[in-house]
Amino acid sequence: MPRIQSSTDLRNKYNEISSFCRESREPVFITKNGQDDLVIMSMETFEILNGKLDLYRLLDEGRTAAKTGRKRPYEDVFSDVEREIADGYL
């Protein structure tokens, strides 16, 4: 169940909300005047979510490329990745 706090709680209980976000890795939904306003989360949770979004974007890009015929043999792809790792790019 999501944790919902008011903007007043955010101001008055910042340390408690911050600790909750870091320890639980869950976001806290902040309301202002009873209306949804913000979502607060730890930096670690944000980075994980952002990484997932990047992955989904790349997967969609690959799926679109495959549908439009822009394909390459997997041997070429792995060769390029291995070269980038060896060169320190990945």
Side-chain angles (χ1 to χ4, degrees), residues 16-52:
E16 177 186 323
I17 293 171
S18 175
S19 293
F20 173 83
C21 289
R22 280 186 273 106
E23 291 167 9
S24 70
R25 296 183 180 171
E26 294 291 325
V28 173
F29 298 87
I30 304 296
T31 61
K32 184 175 181 181
N33 299 323
Q35 301 294 315
D36 294 340
D37 188 41
L38 301 170
V39 177
I40 308 279
M41 67 183 73
S42 70
M43 190 57 102
E44 179 183 10
T45 300
F46 174 78
E47 289 172 352
I48 289 169
L49 288 173
N50 206 38
K52 287 180 182 179

